[in-house]
Amino acid sequence: MLHSRRKRQQSLAEREAAGESFWSENFDHAARNKILMAFQTATENVDRFFEVARLAIMRDEGLLHLSNGNWHPVADLTGYLLACPDDMVPTVIEAMSLACSNQALFASTGIYESVKYFDLTVNVVLREHRISYDLINNQMIEFSSKELHQEVVVPVLRLLAGREDLNMVESAYQAALAEISRGEAANAITDAGTALQEMLSTLGCEGNALGSLIKSAREKGLLASHDSPMLGAVEKILHWVSADRSERGDAHGVGSANIDDAWFTVHVVGAVILRLSKASQH
């Protein structure tokens, strides 16, 4: 990641920490360009991949061409991606992902890693540009956590911003969000768990692990019985990620957890942090 991109991401993180939200369903020009370049790289610019993706869209939409019937299929698909309405970009991405997964193209071109590279790169673009979709198994899934982001993540960031006593909590929670933006689900889950542990410790709960800290929080009246299912889920996810890492060795990027698991953990931890904050004021 070069300087300008790093600075943009840092600025986004800082503004989100202050409570702003940038998630939308709009595909800006830079995001579209990056998606096109991801497809070009994944397919090594082999025309046949473009033709297959283009044909899939035309058949699905009942079209004889996408941008201009006089253009070569590569130019027709490229022009369409760069200029089509925002609500059609997910269709183009799905068609490209399907083309990258085409077994016949694997056999004829010898390009076997195309879908893995394309899907991974597109998801990084979506997160960095705060576009409310995930590309999962050739399908663009609308970002189901957008509402939760507004109701949980934003209030948590506002709560933590500028609170010296909660610096460690904020640092870990921000780290979890940053790991999600990089597609590192297991690391995000671990960081979210750290944020919860730091919050409990800051409130005077005792223990060296999440389980003992939760028990202490209950004894202090900071948590109610109906909080147990949420906290139990977080604890189980953390144990699962930890066990998976132990079996596989190096922790970085090797966990079986996915981004949905990471968002779930971040949202639950955020909700608990908000509840603990309110409880501690009574």
Side-chain angles (χ1 to χ4, degrees):
M1 186 182 296
L2 302 179
H3 180 267
S4 181
R5 181 178 167 203
R6 285 200 311 273
K7 296 296 288 184
R8 287 196 301 271
Q9 289 301 305
Q10 180 181 349
S11 176
L12 270 178
E14 290 172 353
R15 293 172 67 184
E16 285 177 330
E20 290 187 64
S21 177
F22 299 93
W23 292 95
S24 76
E25 296 178 1
N26 299 324
F27 291 80
D28 59 51
H29 292 300
R32 294 176 188 232
N33 290 337
K34 290 177 183 179
I35 290 165
L36 173 61
M37 288 185 281
F39 189 60
Q40 291 171 332
T41 302
T43 63
E44 299 181 13
N45 268 325
V46 173
D47 287 0
R48 185 64 182 140
F49 285 94
F50 286 80
E51 293 166 3
V52 169
R54 173 178 176 267
L55 185 58
I57 300 169
M58 289 164 51
R59 284 176 172 169
D60 223 43
E61 297 297 320
L63 301 172
L64 298 179
H65 63 267
L66 299 180
S67 299
N68 189 316
N70 295 319
W71 289 358
H72 185 277
V74 174
D76 194 30
L77 177 64
T78 298
Y80 189 70
L81 169 61
L82 298 180
C84 69
D86 284 315
D87 61 1
M88 284 303 297
V89 177
T91 294
V92 179
I93 293 173
E94 286 187 358
M96 288 177 162
S97 182
L98 286 168
C100 289
S101 306
N102 189 291
Q103 296 292 326
L105 289 178
F106 290 167
S108 63
T109 65
I111 303 172
Y112 294 99
E113 297 295 321
S114 54
V115 70
K116 181 179 180 181
Y117 175 86
F118 180 73
D119 287 10
L120 177 63
T121 305
V122 167
N123 276 323
V124 170
V125 172
L126 295 174
R127 293 182 195 112
E128 287 193 357
H129 287 257
R130 302 303 191 264
I131 300 171
S132 305
Y133 288 91
D134 281 320
L135 178 56
I136 303 172
N137 296 328
N138 311 127
Q139 290 191 342
M140 287 285 280
I141 307 300
E142 290 186 50
F143 195 41
S144 60
S145 298
K146 185 178 179 182
E147 182 177 348
L148 283 172
H149 186 87
Q150 294 288 346
E151 298 297 325
V152 176
V153 176
V154 172
V156 170
L157 293 175
R158 285 176 179 159
L159 168 71
L160 300 177
R163 288 276 302 271
E164 291 188 9
D165 58 324
L166 299 179
N167 277 345
M168 298 297 289
V169 183
E170 180 183 21
S171 177
Y173 199 75
Q174 287 279 14
L177 294 173
E179 294 290 2
I180 286 178
S181 73
R182 290 190 287 267
E184 301 289 350
N187 291 338
I189 289 169
T190 300
D191 288 331
T194 300
L196 181 55
Q197 288 179 306
E198 292 291 347
M199 185 68 180
L200 291 168
S201 296
T202 299
L203 295 177
C205 299
E206 299 176 354
N208 297 320
L210 186 57
S212 56
L213 286 165
I214 291 172
K215 180 181 178 182
S216 177
R218 289 199 189 99
E219 293 172 350
K220 292 178 177 292
L222 295 174
L223 294 171
S225 58
H226 56 262
D227 293 316
S228 296
M230 283 198 306
L231 292 166
V234 172
E235 193 173 10
K236 287 178 181 178
I237 289 174
L238 289 169
H239 284 317
W240 165 45
V241 170
S242 177
D244 189 67
R245 288 174 164 183
S246 297
E247 290 178 7
R248 293 169 181 253
D250 187 84
H252 186 71
V254 299
S256 298
N258 59 38
I259 293 299
D260 284 342
D261 299 319
W263 272 122
F264 170 81
T265 308
V266 164
H267 287 133
V268 170
V269 167
V272 173
I273 287 174
L274 290 173
R275 187 167 297 181
L276 287 168
S277 176
K278 292 177 182 178
S280 65
Q281 296 172 4
H282 294 161

